[in-house]
Structures are given as structure tokens and as C-alpha cells.
Amino acid sequence: MAVAIVRVRDLFAAGMLFAIYSLLSAALFTVLDAGDVALTEAAVGAGISTILVLAVLALARRFEHPTGGHNLLALTVVFITGAVLIYATLDLPEFGQPDNPAQVHVGPHYIENSYTDMGVPNMVAAVLASYRSIDTMGEAFVILTAGIAVFALLSVRPRRRQAGIVPRRPPRNDEEEDEKEADTTGEKDNE
Amino acid sequence: MSDNGILRVVARFLIPLIMLFGLYIQFHGEYSPGGGFQAGVVFAAGWILFALIYGLENALKVISQRAMYVLAAAGVLLYAGVGLLGVLMGGRYLDFYPLLDSPHAAQQFGIITVEFGVGVTVATVVMLIYTMFARRKSEWEAVLKDGDDR
């Protein structure tokens, strides 16, 4: 699937493949009994980010520029990094063992005490909002910052030159009609 | 897209359900999977569906862009304010125990309030980002039509 996303040149198809990938991840999380993560993945990964990708595609061209040749250096770097990561996974403890670090550190404390501490059945909510409250506040600030950044980038009115249509001569009144037509055809090409 | 009868009818039926489900995820988050982030996104998705079907201008009549800025900041401020309230009432920052007498009730009050703050921020920021992108195209078209090179 990831190979298909990289190979496909049609950006609309790539966006849809991303959405399907997210939905499959959400199904995988559900199988692993991680309801909160599955809900987030389905809502954010498959839903909102697909909508945002489509909103951007409405502004950009649909097909990727073909790039000539292969970047051998990039391929080598990616290959070595992947090999190192796979080598690192050999040192990880076996999945689901009771004496894994994840099972003996703070996990048991949360599992044993979260209900008596706050009377909240959903442990994930208890950990997120109360034990790790400052982390969650940081996440909320990250979201706000992202919104402010998009606002800062897109609240400037676009200039004519950014649209990729540079007038060759200063436009006169009698050329106004011609130029309008050229613009509309350019718009169609974009779509 | 607004001319399609099937889309209009199905959307009219679906949008309230999506928003209700968002509210359910928000306020039932301590009992079942969910919380502020998911609820905000689902709620915003309902609004975006409305904007897609009925047009952005109608959707902005429901909640104006100015209200989005205000609410996005207000959600984070609510979160930080609850934390400060704990300090004022003699605890540590984001410590919920001093808020109410019963420790369980205090924790639940704190969790629900901060999750509500997160939900409001996430929902309005997602709506805001969508509005920005959706409006961009019409802005470009307007600029191309006017031909003003500022």
C-alpha cells in the first residue's frame, strides 16, 4: 500500500489511498483493543486530513511532476536507515511479555489506582486529562499554534504573480477581454 | 454540489447525527473511548459536511470566522484557567483535588472541563483551517478576474 502511494502520480488517488491506509490502521487498533487511538485515527487520519488534502488539491494541480532519473544517494540513505531500524527491533522485548518495561513501570500504578483516585472508568481519559494533564495542555496549544500558522500563511490575499500567470506587457484596456479568456483556460488546465 | 437532491437529503439526515455523536464522544469520554480531540474533530467534520453541501457562506453564517478565533483561544484558556484555579484554591498547577470537596467529583469536574476546552479548541481550529483553504480558491479567482497586481 505504501509503495502504491509513493508510485502513483495521481495526487487524488494518493490522497484516497492515504485515507484507506488510515482506516485500516484504525481497524488494526480496534483489534488491539485500543479504542481511543482507533477513534482518533479514524476521525483525524481518515476523515479530516483527507478533507484537507482534497481542499489543497482543489488549489493545486492534480498530477505530480514527473522527476527524471533516480536519486541514488537518497535510496542509499533510506536503505541504511531502514536496515538499522530493523536491526534495532531485534533488541526489543517480545510482544506481550508480562516482564516488559512497559508493563512494570508506571502502567500498573495507573491500572490499579486510577479508578480509586478519580472514579473514572476510562483509564485513558484519566491518564490524559489528569495524570498527564500538562502534556495534554501542550497538545492543545500545538493545535492552536497550527491554526494560527495556517491563518498567518493564508490570510494574505494572493497576488497575481503567485498564480503563475505573469503578464508579459502591462495590460491595457482593450486586452482585458483576451486576458480573461486566457485565465479561464489556464484554470481548466489546472483542474 | 448543492444542486444534488440526494446529497442534500442525506446530509440533512446525517449532519445532526454526526454532531450528536461528537457531543457523545465529548461528554461520555470518561466512560467509553473518546475525549476532547476526537469529539472536536467529529463535530468539525459535521460542520465541514454542511459547508461542502450547502456552501461555505451558509456555513459561516452558523459560526462566523471571528467566533472561531475567539473560541479556539477560549478553549485553551479554559484549560489553563482550570489549572490556575487549582493553584488559587491551594493546590499545584492542574491539580484538580482542591476544586471540590469530594475527590472523585473534583477529578471528574476537572477532567470534563479540560476535555471540553480541548474539544472546543480542536473543533474551531479544524473549522478555521478548512475555511482558510476553501476560501483560498475563490480569492484566487477574484484576483485573476480583477487583474489587480498589488
Side-chain angles (χ1 to χ4, degrees):
Chain A
M1 189 125 206
V3 174
I5 292 173
V6 174
R7 292 298 300 178
V8 73
R9 292 279 170 236
D10 185 346
L11 294 177
F12 182 76
M16 286 297 125
L17 284 173
F18 264 122
I20 297 169
Y21 186 79
S22 284
L23 207 58
L24 289 178
S25 307
L28 178 66
F29 290 137
T30 316
V31 170
L32 290 173
D33 268 347
D36 287 85
V37 189
L39 196 57
T40 313
E41 183 67 38
V44 179
I48 291 297
S49 44
T50 310
I51 290 177
L52 289 182
V53 165
L54 291 184
V56 174
L57 272 183
L59 299 173
R61 285 163 198 268
R62 182 168 168 180
F63 289 93
E64 199 178 337
H65 271 300
T67 49
H70 297 285
N71 192 339
L72 275 181
L73 180 66
L75 186 68
T76 321
V77 169
V78 167
F79 191 77
I80 291 175
T81 314
V84 167
L85 286 177
I86 289 173
Y87 177 70
T89 57
L90 298 179
D91 271 350
L92 286 181
E94 261 185 79
F95 180 75
Q97 291 296 307
D99 55 346
N100 280 355
Q103 261 87 310
V104 294
H105 188 46
V106 291
H109 177 82
Y110 288 151
I111 292 171
E112 281 160 20
N113 298 333
S114 76
Y115 192 75
T116 46
D117 277 356
M118 29 201 113
V120 170
N122 184 3
M123 221 180 297
V124 179
V127 172
L128 272 184
S130 191
Y131 288 120
R132 289 267 171 267
S133 201
I134 293 181
D135 293 6
T136 310
M137 190 174 78
E139 287 176 44
F141 271 110
V142 166
I143 302 273
L144 181 68
T145 313
I148 292 172
V150 171
F151 173 69
L153 286 173
L154 290 185
S155 62
V156 185
R157 262 176 73 83
R159 279 189 214 147
R160 196 174 166 71
R161 211 163 281 143
Q162 289 175 330
I165 299 162
V166 185
R168 272 151 293 186
R169 289 157 289 174
R172 281 168 304 189
N173 277 343
D174 51 340
E175 280 186 343
E176 204 70 50
E177 282 301 313
D178 284 357
E179 211 161 78
K180 223 183 249 177
E181 263 178 38
D183 286 351
T184 48
T185 49
E187 200 68 51
K188 257 175 214 156
D189 284 352
N190 283 355
E191 289 165 9
Chain B
M1 206 186 284
S2 54
D3 301 331
N4 191 322
I6 297 174
L7 279 181
R8 286 182 86 96
V9 172
V10 171
R12 185 165 291 186
F13 175 71
L14 269 182
I15 289 168
L17 287 182
I18 293 175
M19 293 196 155
L20 190 64
F21 184 58
L23 291 177
Y24 167 75
I25 298 176
Q26 172 80 58
F27 293 109
H28 209 256
E30 333 98 79
Y31 298 102
S32 58
F37 280 92
Q38 296 92 330
V41 170
V42 169
F43 198 80
W47 182 84
I48 289 176
L49 183 62
F50 183 83
L52 281 173
I53 307 279
Y54 294 93
L56 187 63
E57 295 311 312
N58 285 326
L60 284 178
K61 278 181 203 155
V62 180
I63 173 170
S64 70
Q65 212 170 339
R66 197 177 173 76
M68 287 181 209
Y69 304 140
V70 174
L71 283 175
V76 176
L77 282 178
L78 177 66
Y79 200 129
V82 172
L84 277 181
L85 198 63
V87 174
L88 289 181
M89 296 174 82
R92 281 169 290 181
Y93 186 62
L94 285 172
D95 184 5
F96 300 144
Y97 282 124
L99 296 180
L100 290 173
D101 290 335
S102 152
H104 279 194
Q107 283 289 344
Q108 286 168 1
F109 170 78
I111 289 175
I112 289 176
T113 316
V114 297
E115 291 278 3
F116 183 68
V118 171
V120 168
T121 297
V122 171
T124 45
V125 164
V126 170
M127 289 176 189
L128 189 63
I129 292 177
Y130 175 77
T131 309
M132 285 291 169
F133 276 111
R135 177 169 285 173
R136 195 68 173 168
K137 189 163 178 83
S138 61
E139 274 180 358
W140 255 358
E141 276 163 4
V143 167
L144 286 174
K145 219 190 236 168
D146 296 346
D148 64 321
D149 194 352
R150 284 189 299 143

